[in-house]
């Protein structure tokens, strides 16, 4: 587990730094931590760490924020659904790569993650529980949440009581 090797605060700091860095570099958008709730029109990108750590990361964001980021990244005014999905997955892949590198430097544990999966709307991974959520917004009050999930301890079915 990531917890054994790194503190929650340490991990939050790594995630925050990586998200702000990668967002500004790849999309020219500056995000800051904020408690503002997300809007109704959302997209989610999800990655599972399948080696090193039993965790996953989810980025849930206002679609208009991701569209703006994709538009900046591709230097295009109009962004198709395919562009949006392609950008979101590539962006999240770069972000998670940066996180894995920083976690390795802090813990000497190599993390490996699967390919990012894109969803319209909010996606909650099954069998995982939220460890913490970092909430951001841009200067137009469009928001994003970076959610760290841990594998839910197997309690003989007790984990599936919510639906």
């Amino acid at each position: 587990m990531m917890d054994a090797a790194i503190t929650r605060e340490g991990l939050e700091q790594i995630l925050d730094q990586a998200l702000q860095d990668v967002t500004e570099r790849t999309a020219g958008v500056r995000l800051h931590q904020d408690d503002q709730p997300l809007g109704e029109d959302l997209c989610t990108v999800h990655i599972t760490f399948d080696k090193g750590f039993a965790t996953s990361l989810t980025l849930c964001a206002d679609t208009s924020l991701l569209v703006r980021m994709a538009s900046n990244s591709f230097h295009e005014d109009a962004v198709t659904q395919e562009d949006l999905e392609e950008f979101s997955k590539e962006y999240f892949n770069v972000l998670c790569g940066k996180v894995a590198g920083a976690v390795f430097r802090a813990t000497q544990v190599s993390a490996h993650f699967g390919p990012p999966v894109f969803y319209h709307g909010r996606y909650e991974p099954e069998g995982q529980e939220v460890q913490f959520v970092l909430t951001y917004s841009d200067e137009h009050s469009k928001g994003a949440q970076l959610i760290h999930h841990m594998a839910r301890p197997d309690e003989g079915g007790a984990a599936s009581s919510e639906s």
Side-chain angles (χ1 to χ4, degrees), residues 60-72:
C60 186
D62 286 320
T63 301
S64 57
L65 174 61
L66 288 173
V67 165
R68 183 165 79 99
M69 288 167 58
S71 172
N72 289 353

Side-chain angles (χ1 to χ4, degrees), residues 59-130:
L59 179 76
C60 186
D62 286 320
T63 301
S64 57
L65 174 61
L66 288 173
V67 165
R68 183 165 79 99
M69 288 167 58
S71 172
N72 289 353
S73 177
F74 295 146
H75 306 290
E76 299 281 340
D77 290 336
V79 175
T80 65
Q81 282 303 313
E82 291 78 32
D83 290 341
L84 177 64
E85 184 170 336
E86 181 188 325
F87 167 79
S88 299
K89 293 194 315 196
E90 184 55 35
Y91 160 80
F92 205 49
N93 208 23
V94 170
L95 175 65
C96 290
K98 192 168 179 74
V99 167
V103 167
F104 177 77
R105 285 190 297 280
T107 65
Q108 301 306 301
V109 175
S110 303
H112 178 269
F113 50 87
V117 186
F118 181 85
Y119 301 90
H120 287 283
R122 185 181 280 280
Y123 169 76
E124 308 272 344
E126 280 190 30
Q128 305 249 309
E129 59 188 27
V130 172

